[in-house]
Amino acid sequence: MSEPRRGTFVFQALLLFLFAFWLFAFHTGDASLWDVDEPNNAQALKEMMLHHNLVVPTFSAALRPDKPILNYWLMWAGVRLLGMNSWGLRVGSVAMGALLVFYLALALRRLYGDQTALLAGLLTATALHSQIIFRAAVPDPLLILFVAIALISYLRGYLYLEEKRRGVLIACSAMGLATLAKGPIGFLLPGLIIVIFLLLRRELPSLWRNGHLAWGIPLFLVITLPWYLAVGVETHWVWDWLFVDQQNVNRYAVAMQGHHGPFYYYLFTIALALLPWTVFLPQTFAELWRRRGTLLRQTPADAFMLVWAITWVAFFSLGATKLPNYVWEAYPALFILIAARLYGALNQTQPLSRRGVFLSLGALFLVGVALVVLGAWLVPERIPPLGDIMAALGFPYIIAALLALLFAWRGLLLPVISSLGAGAVAITACLMLLAVPALDTLKPSATMGRMIRASEGTEPYAIATWRWFEPSFLFYGGRGAMPVHQLKNLQELNRVVADGQGTAYLALSAQDIPAIRAHLPKTLRVHELYSGYELYSRKYIALLRIRSSSHKVCFTR
């Protein structure tokens, strides 16, 4: 590639990076944290920072073995830059998403060519699930980025002799970082994908024959072992044991926290997650099926992407606990295959079926109609305070599908793709400007936290819950490493008020207030500060301030 052309490509990739960063950052910090994962992570970080210990994660003064350390470090960097708020906690995930888009564009250029590489990055940036996962203070963006780097780096090293050593070392390093982000899945599944691919190619001995693993494995261990050993030593190996046993073995074998589903669960979640680009999956797979006899030998990159996607989805389909986020790491492979298929159609080497395009766009139109109907009918019925605002989410897909159908009728594929991309950006605008603000009003924890801070200032207090709890209440209502008292009986209130030196704040279902008032001893005074509808429990949640009769409020200037 000539220097001017290479410079133009890098400039285009940088523009794509900036676009992705802007799209993921658009109003991302305006909403309060979403239970349960975000405030769990945020509260753990708050406690770690207060204790000056960025090694051992804790939550409400107890060990938190849910996730390894890398996401806490990423959030810590964001908080130091932007403060302990939604922006600071989420900006790291925004950056990881934009870096993924940038990496795909650069790394795929040699494998698939300039246009396919840029198109794959664009599909990744605009897919529906990207607008969710890369706005959340969770470890998934880190795992997604490093798994993609590991697998694509290995593939480049496998296909190009001059990159073999570098590819293996980068892959092992990325797997190490993925393991620090999410645990053993960070190396087990990428390793399984590579092994299956080599077995299908009948070249498994090549994995160790060149000796690069002799450097790659120690590099992986140097990256991962120091923290796992440090947290093990500091907690007498309790954290490591709980993490492996509860959060890996048990989570795979037993459906945890009600997150279960049938074997075909991910077929539905993937169809929604990849919107609007899902509509091109049938023709993408049809083309791969047509070439199935020659795929492994003639187009090993396509075969690798297919093995990547199928292995990742199949592994989690067999697991008991199911969440849409679990298979996001398969999406880069799908985006790459779709991008390659679309580019083949754009340059007329593999034209798309005209009938297939109409059917695909018709399906997207029906998805938009379904969203409008469900938003106007089902959502207000289940969450009455939302009204009909959710119905607006279907219109971007309806309009994009109609425009794309018009262009498809005229045989113009590039405008079809552009229309769908514009629709994807429009759906993001609707989500962030309409849906998220409406939903945010149904998360009372941030409001209750502001009320507590306004009432108490620097005065001591305690917080408690009765028959209701969301981690966000501890994050917003607590101060520093303050624990939350989840009451088992009302007799504990006296102790909680004493812990708060005469003042406690109790969050509970509003319907339980009469029972609380009836059981409170006369030595305690109660004042209702807040009552509001909550999204998760679909109940009205109240905040009570409970004080001992002897408590004296001190006002300071």
Side-chain angles (χ1 to χ4, degrees), residues 106-268:
L106 295 181
L108 295 173
R109 180 179 60 180
R110 186 174 183 184
L111 289 168
Y112 284 94
D114 293 11
Q115 301 308 312
T116 299
L118 292 171
L119 187 54
L122 182 64
L123 302 188
T124 303
T126 53
L128 179 59
H129 204 176
S130 296
Q131 312 315 312
I132 299 171
I133 199 67
F134 295 122
R135 300 173 184 276
V138 294
D140 299 83
L142 285 161
L143 181 66
I144 292 163
L145 174 64
F146 292 126
V147 164
I149 292 175
L151 291 172
I152 294 175
S153 295
Y154 176 81
L155 178 62
R156 286 173 60 105
Y158 172 81
L159 294 177
Y160 309 122
L161 183 62
E162 66 276 16
E163 294 189 32
K164 188 172 292 293
R165 179 184 178 86
R166 182 175 64 204
V168 171
L169 295 181
I170 293 175
C172 290
S173 300
M175 287 186 205
L177 292 170
T179 305
L180 280 179
K182 206 73 181 279
I185 202 71
F187 71 90
L188 289 176
L189 261 188
L192 178 63
I193 289 165
I194 291 169
V195 167
I196 291 174
F197 172 73
L198 293 176
L199 282 172
L200 291 173
R201 295 264 298 178
R202 299 181 183 179
E203 295 178 3
L204 184 59
S206 68
L207 187 61
W208 58 81
R209 184 181 294 147
N210 51 38
H212 296 322
L213 284 181
W215 290 97
I217 293 176
L219 183 59
F220 169 85
L221 295 175
V222 165
I223 292 171
T224 56
L225 279 185
W227 177 77
Y228 278 98
L229 291 175
V231 73
V233 169
E234 194 159 338
T235 63
H236 304 286
W237 307 104
V238 173
W239 192 97
D240 300 70
W241 168 252
L242 290 175
F243 175 64
V244 173
D245 183 50
Q246 291 182 3
Q247 300 301 321
N248 288 271
V249 177
N250 283 352
R251 186 172 286 271
Y252 192 79
V254 180
M256 297 183 67
Q257 300 169 326
H259 299 309
H260 55 82
F263 177 78
Y264 49 85
Y265 172 88
Y266 290 114
L267 296 181
F268 292 100

Side-chain angles (χ1 to χ4, degrees), residues 35-37 39-40 43 59 445 469-476:
D35 287 288
V36 295
D37 291 336
N40 271 331
Q43 178 63 26
F59 180 89
S445 292
F469 175 71
E470 293 293 352
S472 55
F473 177 65
L474 174 57
F475 177 75
Y476 288 110

